Amino acid sequence: MEQKELFEINRREFLKKISIATGSTVALSSMPWLKIFGEDKIGKSAQDKVRLGFIGIGDRGSALLKNVQTFEDILNVEIAAICDDYEPNYQRAIKFTNGKAKAFYDYRELLAIKDIDGVVIATPLHEHAHITVDALHAGKHVFCEKAMARNLDDTKLMYDTHLKTNLILQIGHQRMFSPVYLDAIKRIHNGEIGQISQIRAYWHRSMNWRRPLPKPELERKINWRLYEEYSAGLFTELLSHQIQVANWVNKTNPVSVVCNGSINFWKDGREVYDNIACIYEYPDGSNLVYDSQNCNKHYGLEEQVLGSKGTMEIEINKVYSEKPPAPPAILHLINDIEKDIFDVIPIGGASWVPETAVKYSGDYIAENYKMDETKLQLEAFTRYIREGKAPEELSRQGYYASVWALLAEKAAKTRERITFDEKYRI
Amino acid sequence: MSKVYYNSFFAMGTRLNVVFPYTDEELCERLFNMIENEVHRVELKLSYFIPESFVSRINNEAFKSSVMVDLEMLEIIKLCLNYNRLTLGAFDITMRRLVDFFKQNPEATETDLTSCMQYIQLDDEEKSIRFTDEQTKIDLGGFGKGYALEKVQRLVNDSPIESAFISFGESSILAKGKHPSGKTWQVGLNDYINSGQSVYSFELENGSVSTSSNYFLDDSGQLQFKANVINPITRNINKEIETVSVQSKSPLEAEILSTAMLSLNDEKTAALKEKLNEVEIVKIRYNSGEASITKF
């Protein structure tokens, strides 16, 4: 099917399709967050309103805020408060909300507002843990951007506090709400591409990751991604997304990781690697082979799932069968033989297109759904707040993605094969 | 309802499709694997594009010094030289530099570059090949698929499978036995104006049909001339919309002749046909807006 011929279908149709394909009970039990595609009744009264606070209004925080603004009225949500300790971001947030949201420099003042139901945290990584823990203790549900925390203990503390307070902790792995990923993962779990032997994933960009500085002394605050105290660089910013996809595909977590890392190109005083290559091993002996670097964008990003019966390239929405369907003339012949028909097979000649027809370019995994996964995950967060709980698997996926991103960093630093420490099991 | 075994694999930049009216699945699978291995072996040896291929080694080294070749490669080059003579130069394995020239100069209609067949020197006793001109390269593009199918034909003929239909990129067909519901296999030539309709059909039994054309239809259905079909005699791209199909017992002969006859006029084609046994040649031209068929 040509991309241009693909049609737009709504959420209910998507849910129906994926449920029929997989059995609705199976689909909803393994991916309970699929439910949000089928729900549309929201109470309109003031007591049904979900009130959110946003902490950290940098680029990502702004994007999250603007996404929520697109459904504020429809889903009876209010952006009640914003917080950022960096003046330009603070002013920008006030502008975005037309001054209607209460504005703070200190997140603790935002958490002190009683009728805030949940917070969206998009601060630099090293601030995630203490803000999340404080928010949960303050009785707020939490949506926190990935990765969860700068170190393993803080990551575990965030998860444990979520359990202890019985409040939502949803981590920003938006691919879990992408129709293409949901369709792909269900089909993989149904065995469509056979036994998975390897996942190859990469994220390549051509950029130095630096932001312009209004004053030199703001270097570490603005360019926090480049310094070890605040970030694990490519591990927590990029790899964490793709290890989550690999764990989701494999329905389990790795048993070990080896990794090389270096500052290979951007020798500009940064402390985090600009070049990493890792191999994760899963319990069945399959591997995730991962690499990321910042000086060449030719290959972009992808997760290639290699199975005994086929391959999926999920980012580009493609599936390739190991045994692609026969060309039309051969299909014609097969049908004739099966039906005991003897006929001419029009096969030679110019309808054979040497440059294209012989090149098997695969099929699309999913239709061209006009649904934004970042928006969907935030929409889900507000619905979960209304229900008082979220599917636990969302938190678990976020947790193990963060843990294994940090373990890859450890493998790169020690040059050792790192296995899982049972004290971090949840 | 009759059962059918179907399988396919990619090789030589195209796809080889195998259809066996069902006998024994294990037998079919085993034969398919043998076919796949053999075709890949041939590709690895004859490819112009694979750097490790025997042909690449010859192209890289044969001007500097003689390259020792095995018996199979020696016979292949001899065959190519013989068919070059038989077709009055129309089958030419040294056209690559002309192909490259026309690709790099899409507006050009002719060139001073010439064939390099004369610069190929084979030493039968030493079993070696040498090029006496630095620009000489061999490209077995119009030979390889037919040669691979010739090998496949032997495997199929040696197997207990009684009937088979094998399509290599849909332009080279090999058949064994007959269609389970017919007396032969009927291979139609697709009409590019009315796709899916046949303008001519061959009755094929234990033989092969190869089709070469100097055009194809692109994704939007527009007719495009192939940049790699150069007339070795006139040294230009043939702009007549033309298809040549050759039926022969030998897939290799069918492949070579269909390639060569795109460059021969009707008179020379007829003269060549006289020298050949059990070969059927059909040329289809579309210059009047509809298919015009000439049978030899």
Side-chain angles (χ1 to χ4, degrees), chain A residues 35 64 108 246 313 326 404:
Chain A
K35 257 179 82 181
L64 297 177
R108 288 168 296 193
E313 293 180 337
W404 280 100

Coordinates of all heavy atoms in Angstrom, one line a residue, chain A residues 35 64 108 246 313 326 404:
Chain A
K35 N -6.5 1.2 26.6 CA -7.8 1.6 26.9 C -8.1 3.1 26.5 O -9.2 3.5 26.2 CB -8.1 1.4 28.4 CG -8.9 0.2 28.7 CD -9.1 0.1 30.2 CE -10.3 1.0 30.7 NZ -10.4 0.9 32.1
L64 N 5.7 19.8 26.2 CA 4.7 19.1 26.9 C 3.5 20.0 27.3 O 2.3 19.6 27.2 CB 5.3 18.5 28.2 CG 6.4 17.4 27.9 CD1 7.0 17.0 29.3 CD2 5.9 16.2 27.2
R108 N 8.9 23.7 45.4 CA 8.2 23.4 46.6 C 7.0 24.2 46.9 O 6.0 23.8 47.5 CB 9.2 23.5 47.8 CG 10.3 22.4 47.7 CD 11.4 22.6 48.7 NE 12.2 23.8 48.3 CZ 13.4 24.2 48.8 NH1 13.9 23.4 49.7 NH2 14.0 25.3 48.3
A246 N 13.4 -2.0 23.2 CA 13.9 -3.4 23.1 C 13.4 -4.3 24.3 O 13.0 -5.4 24.0 CB 15.4 -3.3 23.2
E313 N 11.3 -2.3 11.0 CA 12.0 -1.0 11.3 C 10.9 -0.1 11.8 O 10.1 0.5 11.0 CB 12.7 -0.5 10.0 CG 13.8 -1.4 9.6 CD 14.6 -0.9 8.4 OE1 14.0 -0.2 7.6 OE2 15.7 -1.3 8.2
A326 N 4.7 -13.4 -3.5 CA 5.1 -13.6 -4.9 C 4.6 -12.4 -5.7 O 3.6 -11.8 -5.4 CB 4.4 -14.9 -5.4
W404 N 18.8 0.3 33.0 CA 19.7 -0.3 32.0 C 20.4 0.8 31.2 O 21.5 0.5 30.7 CB 19.0 -1.3 31.1 CG 18.8 -2.6 31.8 CD1 17.7 -3.1 32.5 CD2 19.9 -3.6 32.1 NE1 18.0 -4.3 33.1 CE2 19.3 -4.6 32.9 CE3 21.2 -3.7 31.7 CZ2 20.0 -5.7 33.3 CZ3 21.9 -4.8 32.1 CH2 21.3 -5.8 32.9

